[in-house]
Amino acid sequence: MSQPQTTTGVPVTIKSSKTVRWISFYKKLAKNKAALVGAFIIIAIVILGALAPLIATHEPNATNVMNKLQGPSAEHYLGTDQMGRDVFSRLLYGTQISLGIGFVSTLLGAIVGVVLGIISGYYGRWIDSLIMRICDVLLAFPGILLALAIVSVLGASTRNVIIAVAFYAIPSFARIVRGSTLSVKKLEYVDAIKAMGAKDGRIIFRHILPNIMSPIIVQATLYIASAIITASALSFLGMGTRPPQAEWGAMLSEGRAYLAQAPHVTLFPGIVILLVVIGFNMMGDGLRDALDPKSRK
């Protein structure tokens, strides 16, 4: 049977291999209800953060000591804090900062970690040993302690928090990418490409990197949650975002002295952090299952 022809006589492919892969990926992901719930949570919070200037009922940093520590009401949906600032508005604007730190730090850590991991796995020998030993040293420190040390040296600011969180992400990405690169490098088609005289750069970026994107995507999704927790912890300890910026960890820190009098000041930021972390973890687990070629579910 002949293939369908266009008006120019060129065969038409009904479903390309990429389309088939995307359909298979979507079907696997759609079957994972937890992943869909996680994706819904993340998308909803991202949209709320993006629309903060339109949704917020008050200026996030506008103070009114006459209305301090008020509970939720029609005027202040989630109440006010110790300075009379609207908690709802500050949470919305804090979404931009907290998610921004999570996304940017993960992106920076992934870029450096992927490059180091591919170099380590592809070239091996002393380069591999050197990179992996450095990663082992960095992984020997708990993430929050390493981030605290870096911020202590650089100073407390949003930019330095991003650098600190990104720095700890590097060894995690490097080890995952190295292992994937070692597996792909042994495949026959890579040997064939080398025999044809292809340069290392072409082999790495055109043939190896596209085939190891699945674990990178999964690791990035899961690490964003860890990055948000670390950034919030730094702000909670006074080593992160500086006042009066609205950041979830800083809001928790500012409200802890008023837990008995006004628990809503810390309750709502804590709930938002919990939801975001759960959302990213659920979606990361779903992506891992959907992108796993061995999964038959």
Side-chain angles (χ1 to χ4, degrees):
M1 182 180 294
S2 61
Q3 291 182 334
Q5 303 285 325
T6 64
T7 55
T8 59
V10 179
V12 176
T13 303
I14 298 177
K15 289 184 179 180
S16 66
S17 58
K18 289 185 178 181
T19 303
V20 173
R21 287 198 297 267
W22 275 108
I23 292 175
S24 175
F25 165 75
Y26 175 77
K27 288 181 177 179
K28 289 181 180 180
L29 190 63
K31 291 180 180 179
N32 192 321
K33 304 303 180 183
L36 294 180
V37 171
F40 174 79
I41 293 173
I42 295 169
I43 292 172
I45 292 179
V46 168
I47 291 175
L48 289 174
L51 299 179
L54 301 177
I55 301 175
T57 56
H58 297 76
E59 287 293 328
N61 298 324
T63 61
N64 185 353
V65 293
M66 300 299 294
N67 294 326
K68 66 178 182 180
L69 301 178
Q70 288 188 354
S73 63
E75 182 180 359
H76 301 283
Y77 299 150
L78 301 181
T80 60
D81 63 8
Q82 72 282 0
M83 300 182 67
R85 297 173 296 192
D86 185 69
V87 174
F88 175 72
S89 300
R90 288 180 63 77
L91 276 178
L92 290 176
Y93 280 92
T95 301
Q96 299 176 352
I97 298 176
S98 295
L99 290 185
I101 292 174
F103 284 118
V104 175
S105 61
T106 301
L107 177 62
L108 293 177
I111 291 174
V112 178
V114 168
V115 171
L116 292 178
I118 288 181
I119 292 175
S120 178
Y122 185 79
Y123 291 104
R125 299 183 179 179
W126 67 269
I127 298 179
D128 180 25
S129 298
L130 176 62
I131 293 176
M132 287 300 101
R133 296 298 77 75
I134 294 175
C135 290
D136 290 340
V137 171
L138 294 177
L139 289 174
F141 295 93
I144 185 62
L145 293 182
L146 182 60
L148 271 172
I150 295 173
V151 173
S152 298
V153 173
L154 299 179
S157 69
T158 302
R159 182 191 65 181
N160 293 339
V161 169
I162 292 174
I163 294 174
V165 177
F167 194 80
Y168 185 70
I170 293 174
S172 300
F173 280 98
R175 292 183 68 88
I176 290 174
V177 172
R178 173 185 177 271
S180 300
T181 301
L182 288 174
S183 300
V184 175
K185 188 178 70 171
K186 297 177 182 179
L187 298 178
E188 294 180 356
Y189 82 92
V190 176
D191 294 332
I193 296 169
K194 287 183 180 179
M196 294 174 63
K199 295 183 179 180
D200 291 344
R202 180 180 178 84
I203 295 173
I204 289 173
F205 293 104
R206 293 290 299 274
H207 301 284
I208 292 181
L209 183 58
N211 286 287
I212 62 173
M213 285 303 297
S214 295
I216 295 174
I217 293 173
V218 173
Q219 175 65 12
T221 304
L222 294 173
Y223 189 80
I224 291 175
S226 177
I228 292 174
I229 292 178
T230 303
S232 298
L234 290 174
S235 296
F236 183 84
L237 296 173
M239 300 295 292
T241 301
R242 307 304 298 169
Q245 285 184 305
E247 197 272 339
W248 296 339
M251 293 176 68
L252 282 174
S253 179
E254 293 171 354
R256 59 181 172 174
Y258 308 96
L259 280 173
Q261 183 180 358
H264 65 274
V265 179
T266 54
L267 175 63
F268 294 118
I271 290 175
V272 173
I273 293 174
L274 177 65
L275 287 175
V276 170
V277 171
I278 290 176
F280 275 110
N281 284 329
M282 292 170 67
M283 191 174 74
D285 289 339
L287 288 174
R288 179 171 54 200
D289 295 338
L291 292 172
D292 184 3
K294 298 179 182 179
S295 176
R296 299 297 181 186
K297 295 182 180 180

